[in-house]
Structure formats: structure tokens, C-alpha cells
Amino acid sequence: MKTLTMVLGAVLLLVGLLGFVNNPIMGLFAVDTMHNIVHILTGALVLYAGYAGGSVMRRILQVLGIVYLLVTLAGFVAPGAVNALMAINGPDNILHALLTIVFLALGFMPERTATTTINTPPTTR
């Protein structure tokens, strides 16, 4: 889970940087300076979460999942209001919805715990 979180953070960071040189990104996603900055900050935060691990990582992913859920809903319900803050379009809304699912799934996924059972014969005294 840590590795996936770090990869996701690196991708978001790179996409934020790519937006400054290639707009629209891949000919699909509308971006502007604010949108790029949000992706860079989100990517950096997700990278930090991956390095931190444990409950810190889970909490950051949970909060980002909720934030991206709100952004997704606003993008579908009131795109004009969101566009007043940053450029978005239909593909952005779909990508934000997918990121919401990933952040929430990773953030609320039960932690795996290593349990080892050692079968030793009972000691007799």
C-alpha cells in the first residue's frame, strides 16, 4: 500500500509539472496554473503520506478522498463555479472521481497485520 501511495504521489506531481508545458494534458484534460499547483501539492502530500506510512498515510488519504469527492461533486453539479477557481472539463471530473475512489479505498482499507503463530509444545514441569 505504501508503494502504491508513493507511485500515485509521484504521478500526480509529474502531471502537475507537465501541465505547465503541455496544456491541455494529453489533449484531454483542461488545466491552468491553479490546477497544476493543486496537482503538485496533492502529489507532494501523497508522496509524504507514502513515506510516513501507517496511520498518517491513512488519514491523509482519507482527507484527500473527501476533498476530491467534494471537488468531483462540484465539477458535475456546478462546473461554472469550479471553473471560476481553476480550469476543469468532463475528463477532469471523471479523473477526479477515480482519484476519489482510489484515495478513499486506500485510506479506509484495513491494515494488514503480520501475525505469526508458533506451535510449540506445552512445557511440562
Side-chain angles (χ1 to χ4, degrees), residues 17 19 33 35 42 64 117 119 122:
L17 294 172
T33 300
H35 205 149
T42 301
L64 284 174
T117 305
N119 294 325

Side-chain angles (χ1 to χ4, degrees), residues 6 71 73 97:
M6 288 188 285
V71 169
L73 292 174

Side-chain angles (χ1 to χ4, degrees), residues 22-30 89 91:
N22 187 4
N23 186 7
I25 296 175
M26 299 186 318
L28 288 174
F29 303 101
N89 61 8

Side-chain angles (χ1 to χ4, degrees), residues 12 20 32 43-45 47 51 65 75 88 97-98 102 104 106-107 124:
L12 283 165
F20 285 112
D32 59 8
L45 187 58
L47 266 174
Y51 283 110
I88 63 159
L98 292 174
V102 170
L104 292 175
L106 290 173
T124 56

